[in-house]
Amino acid sequence: MINENELKEGLIEHLKGMIELSGSDAELIISKLEIKYLKKKEYLLQPGEISKHMRFISQGAMRVYYLDEKSQEHTLQLGIENWWINDLYSYLSLKPSKMYIQALEETIVIQISSGSLDKLFREVKEMPNFFRLKMQSAYVALQERTIENLSMDSYEKYSKFISQYRNIEQRFPQYIIASYLGMAPEFLSYLRKKHASRLK
Amino acid sequence: MINENELKEGLIEHLKGMIELSGSDAELIISKLEIKYLKKKEYLLQPGEISKHMRFISQGAMRVYYLDEKSQEHTLQLGIENWWINDLYSYLSLKPSKMYIQALEETIVIQISSGSLDKLFREVKEMPNFFRLKMQSAYVALQERTIENLSMDSYEKYSKFISQYRNIEQRFPQYIIASYLGMAPEFLSYLRKKHASRLK
DNA sequence: TTGCTTTCTTAAGATATCTTAATTTTTTTT
DNA sequence: AAAAAAAATTAAGATATCTTAAGAAAGCAA
């Protein structure tokens, strides 16, 4: 069986990669963490629900996606171990989400409820800094994605994607990668073939 | 002539729309503000430079854009009075920007150097909160743009754009709007004609 | 006001990407 | 291992969007 304390310790290590935490800070944080187990294809959040937790992938792989009016899936976020995953829109605005957050493998998530997190913001000095920094890098990453959207064609985007997500990319089915990149899966398949030799 | 104190007061009001500031907070902040005047087409930042200020448009209109390898312009951000405008990537990472930040009208910008802002973060209690909240809404807005990129066709994007930027949109030349939306200006022109009657 | 410069429009042909549908391959379940 | 389900490939025809080039309109400067 899995040792939950070890998992929680993993999140503490993750925090320590960015901010300083005392032993008592760590204990305080650990006391607020909840662990959730998800089977493949299970949902952590579905449209209509309000996202009330910050969520950290401890093991496994997930994605955030939504369905447009034509019921097409569009993937907004992919994530694996040690990535945060959420619909921040819903979390921050307290409005119902339009997103699905789904496990793509057997997955373990560590969550903090927004109430607990607010307390931690007050009680653990460096906690706001952690989320400020996270938020900043998330913003920069999203801006990068916007830039790619504006200036790259489909193959360039794909090519950048696989070089950026080295190895990780194999954990996601191709049709999900296509939906992340904003192209039809058949077209991605066509591109892969066309450029087959050139792929690094 | 323009009364600079009034302009600075405008920024204080803007801050007060989101956080609480005492009289002495306001004075402290005001003491760090610099005012910059830009003529139409003038640049506030150019590629290769590091963005060392947080920038607030006091009057006028600006855009952030970059050139791709084919020297095509892509507009990442548009802004008018009371909007913050910057290349956060460069500002946060201290790396050289790839962006142009350009005035599209006679423009007045209020700046705070990153050094001064860091001080304010320590000296004005609510200051970090302001930027945390700003950052959050910027992130959510960018996520919204990503969603549109994934699921809307060009006309839908344009249509959403003009309803979102009511009236403001007339202050930006159409080819810039096209470059913001990620389409060729000729195609935008074609779409406008095609849907001419339906435009609200 | 005239002339110059910038922006916008039009149209034709080229290209990228999508849609549909059938087939094959891979993965999962029994 | 066989059967069922999910994912990937292929190919043809359809559509969206781009490119180029030229002319018209609008804005700005002399």
Side-chain angles (χ1 to χ4, degrees):
Chain A
M1 246 280 80
I2 289 147
N3 179 341
E4 299 203 340
N5 288 324
E6 252 172 51
L7 297 180
K8 292 180 180 174
E9 208 43 64
L11 174 48
I12 297 297
E13 286 312 308
H14 172 79
L15 296 174
K16 283 185 174 166
M18 223 158 202
I19 58 172
E20 307 233 329
L21 290 181
S22 71
S24 64
D25 286 339
E27 275 180 43
L28 193 54
I29 294 168
I30 285 183
S31 75
K32 317 271 193 192
L33 303 178
E34 304 161 21
I35 297 215
K36 261 204 125 157
Y37 298 87
L38 296 153
K39 300 212 189 91
K40 195 169 175 170
K41 305 228 163 167
E42 227 179 311
Y43 293 103
L44 189 52
L45 184 82
Q46 285 185 274
E49 299 170 6
I50 295 175
S51 178
K52 294 196 166 134
H53 299 80
M54 276 295 186
R55 317 176 135 116
F56 178 80
I57 305 175
S58 176
Q59 294 183 17
M62 307 193 76
R63 67 161 168 161
V64 179
Y65 73 95
Y66 66 97
L67 299 180
D68 67 18
E69 326 73 47
K70 293 160 203 146
S71 298
Q72 295 254 189
E73 290 180 4
H74 300 281
T75 299
L76 208 56
Q77 239 193 102
L78 296 173
I80 57 162
E81 304 79 58
N82 299 321
W83 292 40
W84 293 84
I85 197 149
N86 210 349
D87 174 12
L88 278 186
Y89 163 77
S90 172
Y91 181 87
L92 296 172
S93 69
L94 300 177
K95 289 185 189 153
S97 178
K98 283 157 202 147
M99 303 291 160
Y100 296 86
I101 305 184
Q102 185 188 39
L104 298 176
E105 304 172 354
E106 207 66 13
T107 294
I108 303 175
V109 169
I110 304 179
Q111 312 195 118
I112 313 179
S113 72
S114 54
S116 297
L117 187 57
D118 287 346
K119 271 188 211 138
L120 287 180
F121 277 162
R122 279 178 254 115
E123 294 165 352
V124 177
K125 171 118 182 318
E126 284 295 301
M127 208 59 178
N129 267 335
F130 178 84
F131 281 95
R132 185 172 57 82
L133 294 171
K134 265 292 162 206
M135 199 68 223
Q136 286 181 358
S137 45
Y139 179 87
V140 167
L142 201 49
Q143 171 159 313
E144 187 63 22
R145 190 170 174 192
T146 304
I147 289 175
E148 289 167 19
N149 271 324
L150 289 175
S151 47
M152 291 180 168
D153 68 22
S154 293
Y155 183 68
E156 287 171 318
K157 283 187 224 169
Y158 173 65
S159 176
K160 178 124 194 229
F161 178 89
I162 53 170
S163 69
Q164 199 138 73
Y165 285 64
R166 298 205 169 289
N167 309 316
I168 293 168
E169 138 251 349
Q170 295 139 240
R171 290 168 67 178
F172 301 101
Q174 224 168 265
Y175 77 93
I176 287 181
I177 293 175
S179 87
Y180 177 87
L181 295 173
M183 67 189 81
E186 299 84 355
F187 187 57
L188 177 51
S189 186
Y190 159 82
L191 289 175
R192 278 161 54 84
K193 186 183 185 192
K194 182 170 155 198
H195 296 252
S197 43
R198 258 162 288 173
L199 275 186
K200 26 172 178 187
Chain B
M1 247 280 80
I2 288 146
N3 179 342
E4 299 203 341
N5 288 323
E6 253 171 51
L7 298 180
K8 292 180 181 175
E9 207 43 63
L11 173 48
I12 297 297
E13 285 313 307
H14 172 79
L15 297 174
K16 282 185 174 167
M18 223 157 201
I19 58 172
E20 308 233 328
L21 290 182
S22 71
S24 64
D25 287 339
E27 274 180 44
L28 193 54
I29 294 168
I30 285 183
S31 75
K32 317 270 193 192
L33 304 177
E34 304 162 22
I35 297 215
K36 261 205 125 159
Y37 299 87
L38 296 154
K39 300 213 188 90
K40 195 168 174 172
K41 307 227 162 169
E42 226 179 313
Y43 292 103
L44 189 52
L45 184 82
Q46 286 185 272
E49 298 170 6
I50 295 175
S51 178
K52 293 195 167 136
H53 298 80
M54 276 295 187
R55 316 176 136 115
F56 177 79
I57 305 176
S58 176
Q59 295 183 15
M62 306 193 76
R63 68 160 166 160
V64 179
Y65 72 95
Y66 66 98
L67 299 180
D68 67 18
E69 327 72 48
K70 294 160 203 147
S71 299
Q72 296 254 189
E73 290 181 3
H74 300 281
T75 299
L76 207 55
Q77 238 194 101
L78 296 173
I80 58 162
E81 303 80 56
N82 299 321
W83 292 42
W84 293 84
I85 197 151
N86 210 350
D87 174 11
L88 278 187
Y89 163 77
S90 171
Y91 180 86
L92 296 172
S93 69
L94 300 177
K95 290 184 190 152
S97 179
K98 283 156 200 147
M99 303 293 160
Y100 295 86
I101 305 184
Q102 184 188 41
L104 298 175
E105 305 172 354
E106 215 47 27
T107 294
I108 304 175
V109 169
I110 304 180
Q111 312 195 115
I112 313 179
S113 72
S114 54
S116 297
L117 187 56
D118 286 347
K119 273 188 209 138
L120 288 179
F121 277 162
R122 280 178 253 117
E123 295 166 351
V124 177
K125 172 117 177 323
E126 283 295 301
M127 208 60 179
N129 267 333
F130 178 83
F131 282 94
R132 185 173 56 83
L133 294 170
K134 266 291 161 206
M135 200 68 223
Q136 286 182 357
S137 45
Y139 180 87
V140 168
L142 202 48
Q143 172 159 311
E144 186 64 22
R145 190 171 176 190
T146 305
I147 289 175
E148 289 166 21
N149 271 324
L150 289 176
S151 47
M152 292 181 168
D153 68 21
S154 293
Y155 183 69
E156 289 172 317
K157 283 187 224 169
Y158 174 64
S159 178
K160 177 125 195 229
F161 178 89
I162 53 171
S163 69
Q164 199 138 72
Y165 285 63
R166 298 207 168 290
N167 308 316
I168 293 169
E169 138 249 352
Q170 294 139 241
R171 288 167 69 179
F172 301 101
Q174 226 168 263
Y175 76 92
I176 287 181
I177 293 176
S179 86
Y180 178 86
L181 295 173
M183 66 188 81
E186 298 85 355
F187 187 57
L188 177 51
S189 187
Y190 159 81
L191 289 175
R192 277 161 55 84
K193 186 184 183 191
K194 181 170 156 198
H195 296 251
S197 42
R198 259 161 289 172
L199 275 187
K200 29 178 173 182

